[in-house]
């Protein structure tokens, strides 16, 4: 099934890297500068939501074993019962348009990333209301409104459970307590394709 993630707020798909003298938190980008969400990250989020659904609605989902559906941590074998997830990227049409613009304007990778992102600067405040020394930080986030697409392969008997798990995902990424990461995740309908 094809799945979309709509960003309802700025969202940080963290790369785990920082840029000296710049961003303390950078977003995950590919070799051309396009932001994306790793399949393994989304797999963990979906796994958690489906595990929660199994706890909240045991009568509906008691026949499903989460470990069988997702595998054990670090396990890489694939069988017909496993849920297989791809990376989530911006649409191919968007990439094509941006690549054409990049070619015409001779943009570099960082400028491609800037087409999809913004920065947020923040600091810690002492009890007396003054900024703590050395606490100035900056993060890069993906702008609200960007849509990412990916694919999920699962057996037919688990499809409804996966769809319920997708609809339960409300936040992705880091700094959720600062208002980042609100999303809507859903299956792409035939009409949308």
């Amino acid at each position: 099934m094809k799945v979309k993630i709509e960003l309802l707020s700025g969202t940080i798909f963290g790369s785990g890297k920082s840029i000296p003298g710049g961003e303390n938190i950078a977003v995950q980008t590919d070799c051309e500068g396009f932001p994306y969400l790793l399949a393994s990250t989304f797999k963990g989020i979906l796994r958690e939501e489906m595990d929660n659904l199994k706890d909240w609605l045991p009568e509906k989902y008691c026949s499903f074993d989460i470990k069988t559906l997702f595998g054990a941590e670090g396990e890489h074998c694939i069988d017909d019962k496993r849920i297989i997830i791809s990376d989530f990227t911006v649409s191919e049409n968007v990439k094509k348009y941006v690549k054409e613009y990049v070619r015409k304007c001779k943009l570099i990778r960082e400028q491609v990333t800037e087409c999809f992102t913004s920065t947020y600067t923040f600091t810690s405040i002492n009890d007396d209301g003054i900024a703590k020394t050395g606490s100035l930080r900056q993060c890069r986030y993906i702008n609200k409104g960007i849509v990412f697409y990916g694919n999920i392969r699962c057996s037919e008997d688990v499809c409804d459970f996966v769809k319920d798990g997708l609809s339960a995902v409300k936040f992705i990424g880091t700094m959720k307590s600062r208002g980042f990461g609100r999303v809507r995740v859903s299956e792409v309908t035939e009409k949308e394709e």
Side-chain angles (χ1 to χ4, degrees):
M1 88 179 66
K2 189 166 186 177
V3 175
K4 67 179 179 179
I5 300 173
E6 301 171 75
L7 304 188
L8 304 178
S9 69
T11 303
I12 303 167
F13 300 156
S15 67
K17 299 175 184 171
S18 62
I19 298 170
E23 300 153 11
N24 299 93
I25 302 171
V27 296
Q28 184 76 42
T29 58
D30 65 16
C31 61
E32 296 174 298
F34 292 99
Y36 72 99
L37 177 63
L38 283 169
S40 59
T41 301
F42 189 75
K43 180 181 177 182
I45 293 164
L46 182 61
R47 179 186 190 127
E48 181 179 353
E49 293 302 340
M50 289 174 66
D51 203 23
N52 288 340
L53 284 174
K54 193 168 164 47
D55 288 343
W56 297 330
L57 303 167
E59 67 286 346
K60 187 173 181 181
Y61 299 119
C62 66
S63 63
F64 298 106
D65 178 55
I66 298 297
K67 188 175 179 181
T68 300
L69 294 175
F70 288 94
E73 283 188 45
E75 193 175 52
H76 295 291
C77 70
I78 297 172
D79 63 36
D80 292 339
K81 294 288 184 196
R82 292 280 169 87
I83 294 172
I84 309 297
I85 301 172
S86 72
D87 289 342
F88 283 79
T89 62
V90 294
S91 76
E92 289 305 315
N93 287 337
V94 169
K95 282 186 176 183
K96 182 179 173 183
Y97 177 82
V98 171
K99 285 178 184 180
E100 183 61 28
Y101 183 74
V102 165
R103 190 184 61 74
K104 285 180 185 174
C105 299
K106 298 181 177 145
L107 299 181
I108 59 173
R109 180 181 188 272
E110 289 76 15
Q111 290 169 312
V112 172
T113 302
E114 288 174 7
C115 292
F116 296 91
T117 62
S118 299
T119 56
Y120 174 72
T121 304
F122 55 99
T123 189
S124 295
I125 305 293
N126 288 326
D127 291 336
D128 58 3
I130 298 172
K132 288 183 184 176
T133 303
S135 68
L136 184 63
R137 300 284 181 264
Q138 187 177 64
C139 73
R140 182 160 296 277
Y141 63 91
I142 305 164
N143 297 327
K144 172 184 174 179
I146 305 288
V147 180
F148 292 84
Y149 296 92
N151 292 296
I152 297 179
R153 192 185 87 202
C154 58
S155 59
E156 209 170 300
D157 61 323
V158 78
C159 226
D160 287 338
F161 187 21
V162 170
K163 288 177 187 176
D164 288 346
L166 292 173
S167 66
V169 175
K170 302 298 180 206
F171 290 92
I172 295 176
T174 60
M175 293 187 46
K176 294 181 272 280
S177 64
R178 292 187 183 253
F180 290 96
R182 200 163 56 89
V183 297
R184 181 182 306 118
V185 183
S186 59
E187 181 181 15
V188 175
T189 64
E190 286 182 31
K191 183 181 175 183
E192 290 175 307
E193 278 199 63

